[in-house]
Amino acid sequence: MIPTTMKAMVLTGYGGIDRLQYRDVVTPSPGPGEVLVQVTATAKNNTDRKAREGLYPTKKGEMQSFQMGGEPTLRFPRIQGADIAGRVVAVGEGVSESRLGERGLLDFNIYANERRDINLTPDYYGHGADGGYAEYAALPAEQFHHIPNSELSDAEVAAMGMCSYQTAMHMLTSAGITAGERVLVTGASGGVGTALIQLCRILGAIPYALSQQDKSDALLTLGAEAVLDRADMATFVDRVKAETGGKPFDAVMDLVGGEMTDIFIDAMIFDMNARSSYPRLSIAGASGGNISEILWTRIYLYQVQIFGVSHGTREEAEQLVAWIREGQVKPVLHGAFALSDLHRAEEYFMNRASNFIGKIVIVPDSQWQEHGKLFAAERP
């Protein structure tokens, strides 16, 4: 029996974690073309915090979340949580009942049109519509992809969510990364960073990680060719030369921004005669600062190609799901928190320990014993 009400963590407005309230809300019903999913795990993403704090400005002085379609879609109250794993418990009109019981993973995008190759107005579940920080979610049937792999727990499936992996995929495809190319992955220990390392290896590219040195072993095991210490940027280009045999990076996947972006460009252009393609910079984050000072002469004289990346396309989501089903993509799951402990999970996420790598997931309290307890981030 599906209850008429459910537990959810509801975002009531812009601000701190006090704006997240754990309460009873009406259980949604699936509309035409939708499935009702009993949520078993939802991956935590930094975009949850940034949207809550109004840190997605597209104009100077703006303090709110983005509104690519011209009007704000983040309206309150809102249930956040984009990377949803769970089981189909009801179907809407036009959806086959054969889907009942399926375990799946959400393609988190709210697509503005049916095109499979482009996504010009990115929005997502947990921002423009309710997401997975709840016991149930009504979602598009065609975007809730069946993940039958019995070797993966639901928490691990959520840890491979599209918010990180599809963003990583779009960074690589936008820059046209091909086999054999040397790619710098910044913010390498996070969700997008760990996804980039794995996807580079699937494509045959060679990923170099920028991270803290105490995370080197984990990143090397994941597939990084080498790990460069982000604490020492003064000698960065020299260290790049030492690791690559004097060759520049072919491309940089930049999740950091700020003053480091100019240094990343240095690492691509120090020997243009050694290049066989244009330097490429894919940008999908600004954890190090939202403003970078760069001489435009460096960009056009060295022919640096810059790609702004947000989310991805249906085609990329489908390719990722195929790789997940085939076991080519592996989850990097750090730990789990119960939904009622989301405040503590937010603090844990922001004050990450030195051993933090990959993702944490949020599990509804009613699902904790089966899907969360084994992966508890804070064990007794």
Side-chain angles (χ1 to χ4, degrees):
M1 295 293 293
I2 299 169
T4 57
T5 62
M6 65 177 183
K7 293 292 186 183
M9 189 66 76
V10 178
L11 179 63
T12 59
Y14 290 117
I17 58 175
D18 60 299
R19 304 310 297 267
L20 291 164
Q21 297 180 7
Y22 189 57
R23 61 169 69 158
D24 290 314
V25 300
V26 175
T27 303
S29 297
E34 292 184 334
V35 291
L36 182 67
V37 172
Q38 185 172 33
V39 178
T40 52
T42 300
K44 174 85 180 72
N45 291 294
N46 199 35
T47 189
D48 300 326
R49 176 190 65 84
K50 294 186 74 173
R52 168 171 51 80
E53 295 181 358
L55 298 180
Y56 281 124
T58 55
K59 299 177 183 177
K60 285 186 177 181
E62 185 178 67
M63 283 297 292
Q64 61 183 18
S65 193
F66 60 88
Q67 40 185 310
M68 301 298 292
E71 295 183 1
T73 61
L74 178 56
R75 301 187 181 97
F76 308 109
R78 174 68 77 219
I79 298 171
Q80 293 186 292
D83 289 331
I84 303 169
R87 313 296 168 112
V88 176
V89 294
V91 297
E93 180 183 347
V95 181
S96 172
E97 290 188 356
S98 66
R99 298 208 57 183
L100 291 171
E102 275 188 6
R103 193 265 298 271
L105 175 66
L106 177 68
D107 170 2
F108 76 126
N109 289 281
I110 299 174
Y111 294 106
N113 56 54
E114 296 300 317
R115 287 189 61 173
R116 312 194 76 75
D117 63 333
I118 198 168
N119 183 6
L120 293 176
T121 55
D123 201 354
Y124 60 96
Y125 285 86
H127 183 275
D130 285 340
Y133 290 160
E135 292 183 295
Y136 295 89
L139 306 168
E142 69 169 357
Q143 289 177 228
F144 192 68
H145 295 280
H146 187 202
I147 308 294
N149 190 340
S150 60
E151 296 181 0
L152 294 172
S153 68
D154 287 28
E156 289 172 320
V157 170
M160 295 185 290
M162 296 292 166
C163 190
S164 291
Y165 279 81
Q166 193 190 37
T167 299
M169 181 75 168
H170 197 44
M171 293 179 80
L172 295 168
T173 56
S174 295
I177 300 302
T178 58
E181 291 193 305
R182 297 172 299 278
V183 180
L184 175 64
V185 177
T186 72
S189 66
V192 180
T194 54
L196 280 165
I197 291 170
Q198 293 189 70
L199 296 178
C200 277
R201 289 302 185 184
I202 291 174
L203 296 173
I206 307 168
Y208 291 80
L210 180 68
S211 187
Q212 296 168 288
Q213 283 300 291
D214 55 9
K215 299 182 180 181
S216 291
D217 289 346
L219 294 172
L220 291 170
T221 299
L222 191 61
E225 186 76 5
V227 179
L228 299 159
D229 188 358
R230 72 178 188 186
D232 179 16
M233 297 305 293
T235 62
F236 184 67
V237 172
D238 289 336
R239 288 183 290 128
V240 170
K241 292 177 181 178
E243 294 291 353
T244 64
K247 298 178 180 178
F249 288 130
D250 293 294
V252 174
M253 304 294 110
D254 189 5
L255 302 165
V256 178
E259 63 184 14
M260 289 191 182
T261 297
D262 209 36
I263 301 173
F264 299 151
I265 293 173
D266 286 338
M268 292 192 288
I269 65 174
F270 61 76
D271 186 355
M272 293 298 289
N273 291 322
R275 301 193 61 88
S276 59
S277 60
Y278 295 119
R280 283 150 286 155
L281 178 69
S282 279
I283 300 172
S287 63
N290 204 28
I291 297 176
S292 301
E293 288 191 9
I294 301 172
L295 291 173
W296 281 112
T297 46
R298 279 163 55 82
I299 301 301
Y300 66 75
L301 291 176
Y302 286 98
Q303 302 184 80
V304 178
Q305 298 180 337
I306 300 176
F307 304 91
V309 173
S310 180
H311 302 191
T313 68
R314 295 177 190 267
E315 289 178 347
E316 290 163 341
E318 289 162 2
Q319 177 61 78
L320 284 166
V321 168
W323 284 337
I324 291 171
R325 289 171 178 164
E326 294 165 3
Q328 293 197 60
V329 179
K330 305 295 184 184
V332 186
L333 175 60
H334 177 77
F337 283 86
L339 179 60
S340 61
D341 282 338
L342 185 59
H343 285 194
R344 193 155 54 92
E346 290 276 1
E347 293 170 345
Y348 185 93
F349 186 84
M350 288 305 299
N351 300 293
R352 283 170 267 193
S354 61
N355 68 338
F356 191 110
I357 182 170
K359 306 291 288 187
I360 61 173
V361 299
I362 307 303
V363 177
D365 293 48
S366 57
Q367 301 290 326
W368 179 253
Q369 289 298 317
E370 182 177 358
H371 297 291
K373 186 176 180 180
L374 179 64
F375 306 104
E378 295 181 336
R379 295 177 176 84

